[in-house]
Structure formats: structure tokens, C-alpha cells
Amino acid sequence: MANTKQARKRALKNELRRKHNASQRSMVRTYIKRVVKAIRSGDHAAAMSEFRAAQKVIDRIADKPAYDKKRAARVKSRLNARIKALAA
């Protein structure tokens, strides 16, 4: 465990940051699941509205260190491709 006051504070801040980042990643996964559920139901309009909502959240979280920008782009691209396939 940390010996100095500064090290104790850093350990505390690191733990708080870890929990916050985990919460943000969990929220992104939830939005992705909503889009996938709409795609599986076969409703293109619902899938598009869920995708728009998820896209905003993914972009917002990707600007922070909690979620990688390239991963966010890949996820959005794959979801969009599945929605386009649903429309065809």
C-alpha cells in the first residue's frame, strides 16, 4: 500500500477513475446492445434511431481515455453495415 500522503491520494484517484471509466464503457456496451436488439427484431426505423443515439454516446466517450477512438470507429462501422444490410 502507499506510504506517503501523495501516493495514497494517487491510489484513491486511480481507483475512482477506474470505476468511472468502467461505468462509461458499460454504458457504451448497453447502447450497442440496444442497436443489436433492434437489428435482430428486423425493424429498420428502430435500428436507425437506436444507432443515432448510440453514435452520440460512443463519440462522446471515445474523446476520453475510457474508450479507444479506433475501436469506436470500428464498432460504429460494423453496426452501420448491419443496418444497411437490414434495409436491403
Side-chain angles (χ1 to χ4, degrees):
M1 187 59 200
N3 291 321
T4 64
K5 184 176 179 181
Q6 177 186 8
R8 283 192 294 273
K9 181 179 178 182
R10 290 274 29 108
L12 176 65
K13 295 293 280 185
N14 286 338
E15 181 63 18
L16 292 174
R17 194 174 297 113
R18 184 188 68 79
K19 287 181 181 177
H20 182 261
N21 288 342
S23 171
Q24 298 295 301
R25 284 189 297 270
S26 176
M27 181 175 58
V28 168
R29 283 193 300 268
T30 301
Y31 274 88
I32 291 169
K33 286 176 191 174
R34 288 181 188 171
V35 176
V36 170
K37 185 177 180 183
I39 291 170
R40 287 191 178 147
S41 72
D43 187 0
H44 182 263
M48 278 305 295
S49 67
E50 289 292 346
F51 178 68
R52 284 191 199 102
Q55 197 172 12
K56 290 177 186 176
V57 172
I58 292 170
D59 286 338
R60 189 176 72 234
I61 302 306
D63 286 340
K64 300 176 176 100
Y67 208 73
D68 185 55
K69 286 182 198 288
K70 290 185 178 182
R71 179 180 184 177
R74 184 172 61 244
V75 166
K76 289 189 304 181
S77 175
R78 288 177 180 172
L79 288 175
N80 196 26
R82 288 177 70 175
I83 292 171
K84 283 184 179 178
L86 180 67

